[in-house]
Amino acid sequence: MDFGSIFSNTAVYLISPVTIAYALAATGLAVHFGYAGLLNFGMAAFMAIGGYGYAISVLSLGLPWWIGMLIGLIGGALFAILLGIPTLRLRADYLAIATIAAGEIVRLLFTTQLFDEWTNSADGLAQYNGGFRDANPFPEGTYGFGPWTFSANDLWNRVFGIILLAVAILLVWALMRSPWGRVLKGIREDEDAVRSLGKNVFAYKMQALVVGGVIGAAGGIVFVLPSAVVPGNYTTSLTFFLWTILLLGGAATVFGPTLGAVLFWVVYAFLANLLPSMARAGILPITDSQASTMVLIFIGVALMLLVIFRPQGILGDKREMTFVK
């Protein structure tokens, strides 16, 4: 087995656009679940709306890239409002079911022939990043070293994503230290007690859904910067990966989602390279495709063990557990 290639392919995910995008979306999910107690299983829809909003604005409307990104973020906020109005008064388990359905509805809407003129249905969208790449401040050339060797465009994708992630982390940190954040944590623990103090619990939940949704849409934009918007990427497995990342790092933490995203993708990439190599070398009595499936099995088992033995996550505090009513 070529361990050099395995470790090199794994190291790339330390600062890949995928890792950054999932860290952003998991940070939005932390606002929903970790701080507000909203059991949202539809974060894939927010990412899809962010990515499609950006791509459609550039390709179909001919808008500058930065306006397209703003439209993607606004789309995330509007979807949060549309989703929240009929669902935020539901009990946690019903909210989870409703958000799963909403996520699938959004994905299927983007694949339907009815909107083929704008979404290109199941084939997705590409070639919308010309304006963004023209704004690249890095001259043409090669940057970095070893597995972290990037072209100017690859570096720009990562730097831009890290800037958005830093802004999102700073925003969540500031909000959760504010009176608004303290009310939100109170709602998470006991919304009836907060309601008895005269607070509009529905309004606070809606605001949390919008804030987290916008951050999730930003993750969707970073997710599609390297290549294309592909509707097949926004299945429920994306949302479950985000939940794994969130629980791994710590649901009610500011930096937990970022740490969880890095650990998740490094471990995922390592296993995805190691197990098929072991299968080809005859060490494992399985095929390459079966080895790839085993990666998901290992991640599922790890998630179960995490929930059982470390439910607060790596950075979480047992004194600040998330209770869902």
Side-chain angles (χ1 to χ4, degrees), residues 98-111:
T99 52
I100 289 174
E104 281 298 284
I105 289 170
V106 169
R107 183 181 67 83
L108 293 173
L109 282 175
F110 283 130
T111 61

Side-chain angles (χ1 to χ4, degrees), residues 182-203:
R182 288 192 286 271
V183 172
L184 208 62
K185 295 175 187 177
I187 292 172
R188 176 194 67 194
E189 302 298 335
D190 191 339
E191 66 177 67
D192 291 330
V194 174
R195 190 178 288 110
S196 69
L197 297 175
K199 301 295 184 180
N200 188 333
V201 171
F202 179 83

Side-chain angles (χ1 to χ4, degrees), residues 1 39 51 64 66 77 91 115 141 148 172 202 210 213 224 234-235 237 250 266 275 295 307-309:
M1 294 189 298
L39 205 59
W66 59 273
R91 204 175 65 192
F115 304 115
W148 304 288
V172 173
F202 179 83
V210 170
V224 302
Y234 303 104
T235 59
S237 61
V266 166
L275 296 182
V295 176
V307 171
I308 294 170
F309 296 107

Side-chain angles (χ1 to χ4, degrees), residues 88-102:
L88 285 183
R89 291 187 173 88
L90 296 175
R91 204 175 65 192
D93 46 358
Y94 293 116
L95 177 62
I97 295 170
T99 52
I100 289 174

